[in-house]
């Protein structure tokens, strides 16, 4: 036995398989000199692949293969192989029924998967539609409640004050137009001179220059109100609240001033202890328990 063959045995069947992709059983048969499991051409082909991958000389093994597969022996083996194939062909049952059965099973599985996916999509679509409808119904309910009930209550409570301030709005001498809201310090000085009842009647309103969404969050119970309007929105100063507008193209009306705002960005306001002031988004979130809305 050559040294190269011994070298291959030390390398091992698994490593030879990884580099040559020859089946483990064939490698084992070649290393042990058992050529009964393949023909002459196949055996010599395997030997050539191994020699190329591992740079070894397997000439002795090659000669053994040639001797084993003499011309007569090769013919006998070929004849036996042919007879075996013919026998298998004669005993082989028709495969059509089996193929047909497989096709039927595959078809049924495809129909089932399609139906399942269709049902899943339908359920998901229905769920999405229901969520959208629920959301819209809640929005409509909020708008209706705000516009019909709450607004009527505010108008009823502040009717006299609104009429009074409407007269003020008609007179330019009673208003001072400026670009900022009344400073909180000045507002507090004014409020110190007011009675509790007068504080409740303080008048604020948001007058949109174009259609705008307005959201209100009352800080005593965090109940939300919202509406989309082109009309002025009166604010009930008797309750602490947060106000957010969809854009800044608005005018803020107060007891003693008018503030024109021109901005495409959202605007945030706070009414606290009867005082209205503009705040930024982060202050709004801090008052609203960390939420944007």
């Amino acid at each position: 036995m050559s040294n190269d063959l011994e070298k291959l045995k030390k390398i091992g069947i698994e490593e030879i398989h990884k580099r040559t992709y020859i089946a483990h059983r064939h490698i084992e048969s070649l290393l042990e000199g058992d050529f009964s499991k393949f023909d002459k051409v196949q055996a010599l082909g395997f030997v050539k692949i191994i020699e190329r991958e591992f740079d070894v000389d397997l000439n002795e093994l090659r000669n053994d293969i040639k001797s084993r597969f003499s011309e007569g022996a090769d013919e006998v083996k070929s004849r036996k192989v042919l007879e075996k194939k013919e026998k298998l062909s004669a005993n082989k049952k028709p495969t059509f029924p089996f193929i047909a059965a497989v096709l039927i099973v595959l078809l049924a599985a495809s129909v089932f998967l399609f139906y399942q996916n269709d049902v899943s999509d339908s359920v998901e679509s229905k769920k999405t539609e229901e969520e959208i409808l629920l959301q819209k119904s809640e929005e409509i309910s909020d708008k209706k409640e705000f516009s019909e009930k709450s607004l009527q209550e505010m108008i009823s409570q502040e009717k006299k004050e609104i009429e009074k301030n409407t007269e003020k709005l008609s007179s330019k001498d009673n208003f001072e137009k400026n670009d900022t809201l009344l400073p909180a310090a000045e507002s507090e000085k004014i409020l110190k001179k007011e009675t509790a009842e007068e504080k409740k009647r303080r008048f604020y309103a948001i007058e949109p220059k174009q259609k705008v969404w307005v959201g209100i969050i009352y800080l005593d119970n965090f109940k939300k109100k919202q509406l989309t309007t082109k009309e002025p929105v009166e604010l009930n100063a008797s309750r602490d609240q947060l106000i957010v507008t969809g854009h800044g193209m608005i005018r803020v009306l107060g007891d003693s001033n008018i503030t024109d705002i021109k901005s495409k960005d959202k605007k945030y306001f706070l009414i606290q202890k009867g005082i209205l002031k503009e705040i930024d988004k982060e202050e709004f979130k801090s008052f609203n328990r960390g939420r944007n809305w």
Side-chain angles (χ1 to χ4, degrees):
M1 191 66 67
S2 66
N3 292 331
D4 284 346
L5 187 60
E6 292 296 329
K7 177 181 176 181
L8 289 174
K9 289 182 178 181
K10 291 180 180 180
I11 290 173
I13 295 173
E14 183 62 31
E15 184 62 27
I16 296 173
H17 167 72
K18 287 181 180 179
R19 292 179 58 176
T20 63
Y21 299 101
I22 299 172
H24 293 78
R25 64 181 185 278
H26 292 158
I27 297 171
E28 183 179 7
S29 297
L30 286 174
L31 295 179
E32 297 299 328
D34 180 8
F35 313 125
S36 61
K37 296 181 181 179
F38 30 65
D39 58 30
K40 178 180 178 181
V41 175
Q42 190 179 31
L44 292 175
F46 290 156
V47 169
K48 186 174 182 180
I49 292 171
I50 294 172
E51 285 181 323
R52 183 186 66 223
E53 291 298 325
F54 290 93
D55 191 24
V56 294
D57 182 6
L58 300 178
N59 191 51
E60 183 177 344
L61 181 60
R62 186 182 291 103
N63 290 334
D64 289 344
I65 293 171
K66 290 179 179 180
S67 298
R68 170 66 177 79
F69 293 101
S70 62
E71 185 175 351
D74 203 14
E75 289 177 356
V76 171
K77 184 175 179 66
S78 298
R79 185 171 63 252
K80 289 182 178 180
V81 170
L82 182 60
E83 289 174 355
K84 186 176 181 180
K85 287 182 178 180
E86 289 175 350
K87 185 177 180 181
L88 289 173
S89 298
N91 294 332
K92 191 174 183 182
K93 295 181 180 180
T95 58
F96 177 78
F98 174 77
I99 295 173
V102 171
L103 290 175
I104 291 172
V105 171
L106 291 175
L107 179 60
S110 299
V111 172
F112 176 77
L113 289 175
F114 176 82
Y115 174 77
Q116 287 292 95
N117 291 334
D118 187 59
V119 170
S120 177
D121 291 341
S122 298
V123 171
E124 189 65 26
S125 176
K126 184 176 181 181
K127 181 180 178 182
T128 302
E129 290 176 359
E130 289 176 351
E131 290 175 348
I132 293 173
L133 289 174
L134 179 60
Q135 182 180 356
K136 288 187 177 296
S137 67
E138 290 175 349
E139 292 177 358
I140 292 170
S141 177
D142 286 342
K143 291 178 182 179
K144 184 176 180 181
E145 185 181 357
F146 181 84
S147 59
E148 294 181 4
K149 183 179 177 181
S150 298
L151 188 57
Q152 288 296 329
E153 289 177 357
M154 290 192 305
I155 291 174
S156 177
Q157 292 173 3
E158 302 178 9
K159 183 177 180 181
K160 292 182 180 180
E161 189 64 21
I162 291 173
E163 290 175 354
K164 177 182 175 181
N165 284 280
T166 302
E167 293 176 0
K168 290 182 180 180
L169 289 174
S170 63
S171 174
K172 294 183 179 179
D173 295 335
N174 291 333
F175 292 94
E176 178 183 356
K177 290 190 176 182
N178 52 64
D179 294 329
T180 60
L181 294 172
L182 187 67
E186 293 183 25
S187 297
E188 289 175 352
K189 290 179 181 178
I190 293 171
L191 288 176
K192 286 179 180 179
K193 299 178 181 181
E194 295 177 336
T195 65
E197 190 63 25
E198 287 173 335
K199 289 180 181 180
K200 291 183 180 180
R201 294 201 305 269
R202 287 188 62 81
F203 172 82
Y204 295 110
I206 293 177
E207 182 179 273
K209 298 177 182 178
Q210 58 190 49
K211 195 171 184 179
V212 67
W213 174 85
V214 179
I216 299 174
I217 303 172
Y218 292 111
L219 294 177
D220 53 358
N221 59 8
F222 288 92
K223 187 174 182 180
K224 298 179 180 179
K225 304 292 183 182
Q226 56 181 324
L227 75 162
T228 302
T229 181
K230 294 188 292 185
E231 302 300 324
V233 179
E234 290 84 13
L235 303 173
N236 182 1
S238 66
R239 297 178 67 182
D240 290 356
Q241 60 195 271
L242 293 168
I243 303 100
V244 57
T245 62
H247 60 72
M249 304 300 292
I250 57 174
R251 175 181 292 174
V252 180
L253 309 178
D255 277 334
S256 59
N257 70 322
I258 298 177
T259 302
D260 280 313
I261 301 176
K262 296 180 180 179
S263 173
K264 294 181 180 179
D265 300 326
K266 289 183 177 181
K267 289 296 175 181
Y268 303 89
F269 303 92
L270 168 68
I271 293 181
Q272 192 174 41
K273 297 180 180 179
I275 301 173
L276 171 68
K277 66 176 181 178
E278 185 176 352
I279 59 176
D280 59 27
K281 184 177 181 180
E282 293 304 315
E283 289 177 289
F284 181 94
K285 288 174 65 177
S286 68
F287 278 99
N288 195 29
R289 301 180 293 187
R291 299 176 182 175
N292 291 323
W293 167 239

